[in-house]
Amino acid sequence: MNVAALREGIGYQGVLLALFSTLTAAALVVANGFTAPAIHIAEEQDLEASLRQVLPAGFNDNNLLTDVVVVKDSAGLDVEVHKASKAGVQQGAVFKTSSIGYAGPIVILVGISRDGVVQGVRVLRHAETPGLGDKIEVAKSDWVHAFEGKALTTARWLVKKDGGDFDQFAGATITPRGVVKAVKEALAFHQANHAAIYAEH
């Protein structure tokens, strides 16, 4: 084969590959531009639904999604606290927290009244074992409802196996331990930052 023709063929293939890569990258950018807003809207709708689930009906009349204050935790990290108000008076707060379960982080949403009582808990994200650890999901069991009505001083914040008040799961004790720890820490955060959470802004 002619060396010049071979070089020309290789060069042509390189140009085609570069062109294909550029077109693919451009298509991805365009696709992301179209889907990103829809994904953001879906995420906001999911969060709004979860925010409503951790507070009793009629607890607030404000927009939980937009009525937010940012508070620093003990590590100096920002925590977005959704203020639950009724007739202009803040009744409670909702925020995310997390702990480590058996298979990784468990992210939860906790609703707490102004006087430090848990109103509701929902698990937002986890990677726990299906059929065992996933009983922390409200769709799989009513286990998370056990936190409702509890405060820092009115419960022993451990699973029963460790001398506490909360059930563990057969074959999956680490998962509920993680959630109990996360809820307790949420109550401690609420107590430690009460002035900042309920300050007039």
Side-chain angles (χ1 to χ4, degrees):
M1 178 181 283
N2 185 293
V3 174
L6 180 62
R7 286 176 179 168
E8 184 179 329
I10 292 172
Y12 178 70
Q13 289 175 352
V15 170
L16 279 179
L17 182 60
L19 181 61
F20 179 76
S21 299
T22 302
L23 289 173
T24 301
L28 288 172
V29 169
V30 171
N32 183 63
F34 280 114
T35 59
I39 291 170
H40 179 69
I41 290 169
E43 288 175 346
E44 284 203 334
Q45 288 174 341
D46 288 345
L47 177 58
E48 188 174 19
S50 297
L51 289 167
R52 287 197 303 269
Q53 289 175 25
V54 296
L55 295 174
F59 187 87
N60 67 294
D61 59 13
N62 66 317
N63 188 333
L64 292 167
L65 200 58
T66 58
D67 200 353
V68 176
V69 61
V70 177
V71 179
K72 298 282 187 185
D73 66 10
S74 58
L77 300 175
D78 289 344
V79 177
E80 283 193 351
V81 178
H82 300 264
K83 300 166 71 172
S85 302
K86 190 165 188 178
V89 179
Q90 191 175 351
Q91 306 294 320
V94 181
F95 51 92
K96 295 178 189 176
T97 186
S98 65
S99 187
I100 300 299
Y102 178 76
I106 300 172
V107 179
I108 67 169
L109 192 68
V110 184
I112 302 174
S113 61
R114 191 170 189 139
D115 59 352
V117 177
V118 176
Q119 301 300 301
V121 174
R122 291 294 182 276
V123 175
L124 299 179
R125 194 164 60 251
H126 74 87
E128 302 303 283
T129 307
L132 292 173
D134 64 352
K135 292 175 185 174
I136 57 177
E137 296 176 31
V138 72
K140 301 291 175 68
S141 82
D142 61 358
W143 181 80
V144 292
H145 292 298
F147 297 106
E148 294 165 14
K150 301 288 196 305
L152 272 178
T153 57
T154 63
R156 293 171 297 170
W157 290 91
L158 298 165
V159 295
K160 288 179 179 176
K161 185 176 183 179
D162 300 332
D165 291 337
F166 300 94
D167 290 332
Q168 61 270 347
F169 309 143
T173 303
I174 295 173
T175 302
R177 272 185 186 141
V179 178
V180 171
K181 181 175 182 288
V183 178
K184 181 184 179 183
E185 289 177 353
L187 285 168
F189 169 83
H190 180 267
Q191 179 176 280
N193 296 281
H194 198 274
I197 291 171
Y198 295 96
E200 296 293 330
H201 292 280

